Amino acid sequence: MAPRTRLSTSVLLTCAAIGVATGALQAGAGALSAPVSATAPILYGLVLGVHVLPGVVAQELLRRPWVALITHLIAALVASAVVPLWIGRYIGTALLIGGLQELIAATSRYRRWDAWRFFLSAVIVGAVIAAAIWFAADVTRFPVWGQIVYVALFVVGPVAWTAVGLAIGRALRRAGIARRSQG
């Protein structure tokens, strides 16, 4: 039997807290995007990888349906408050990444929370974003080695940030936050 999908107030408040914290990080990453793109564009994937954080922390901590998507949307609204011009980007990214994270979790009917599942999600997110950015950023302007590194860092970024998110989620779980967010 799949877990209940009704979310308690405490679960929603926990999603909100994670969303606010990670939304602030996303706004910071947004501020870094232009300078990184201008000075070291090959590193852009590492900066964008931070966008996996809301869902990873929420799912690792709460282990419930819909928490990744809800947390991503809250993070997007927080980041959009800092950079209102990018609201479409933040909401679109939240729907894409949060949706992919929910889809991967749904394949196990929200019963399996092994680390490999989170990393699989990160690789898929990185590949999808790399494919989209490939055309938008005209990656073919780089030499072949640069193209390979550019795409690889779009996968490495989400994987690295997923490791950070899992560590945060586990630390919050050890601190008893998950027990307070039941229902």
Side-chain angles (χ1 to χ4, degrees), residues 93-107:
T93 301
L95 291 172
L96 172 69
I97 296 174
L100 284 170
Q101 289 172 331
E102 289 292 344
L103 182 64
I104 298 287
T107 61

Side-chain angles (χ1 to χ4, degrees), residues 2 59 65 99-113 116-118 120-121 124:
Q59 285 184 329
L100 284 170
Q101 289 172 331
E102 289 292 344
L103 182 64
I104 298 287
T107 61
S108 69
R109 298 184 64 180
Y110 297 96
R111 290 185 187 158
R112 304 218 24 146
W113 300 101
W116 68 264
R117 186 196 61 75
F118 289 96
L120 172 64
S121 176
I124 292 169

Side-chain angles (χ1 to χ4, degrees), residues 49-160:
V50 75
H51 288 281
V52 301
L53 208 51
V56 172
V57 174
Q59 285 184 329
E60 174 61 19
L61 175 63
L62 299 169
R63 298 179 178 191
R64 301 177 79 56
W66 301 110
V67 296
L69 191 57
I70 291 166
T71 306
H72 270 286
L73 288 171
I74 293 167
L77 292 174
V78 169
S80 297
V82 177
V83 188
L85 183 64
W86 288 358
I87 190 169
R89 289 181 189 181
Y90 286 125
I91 298 290
T93 301
L95 291 172
L96 172 69
I97 296 174
L100 284 170
Q101 289 172 331
E102 289 292 344
L103 182 64
I104 298 287
T107 61
S108 69
R109 298 184 64 180
Y110 297 96
R111 290 185 187 158
R112 304 218 24 146
W113 300 101
D114 303 320
W116 68 264
R117 186 196 61 75
F118 289 96
F119 288 113
L120 172 64
S121 176
V123 169
I124 292 169
V125 164
V128 168
I129 293 174
I133 296 289
W134 180 273
F135 299 104
D138 186 26
V139 177
T140 58
R141 67 189 159 135
F142 298 127
V144 173
W145 70 266
Q147 294 175 29
I148 293 167
V149 170
Y150 190 84
V151 170
L153 290 180
F154 268 94
V155 176
V156 169
V159 168

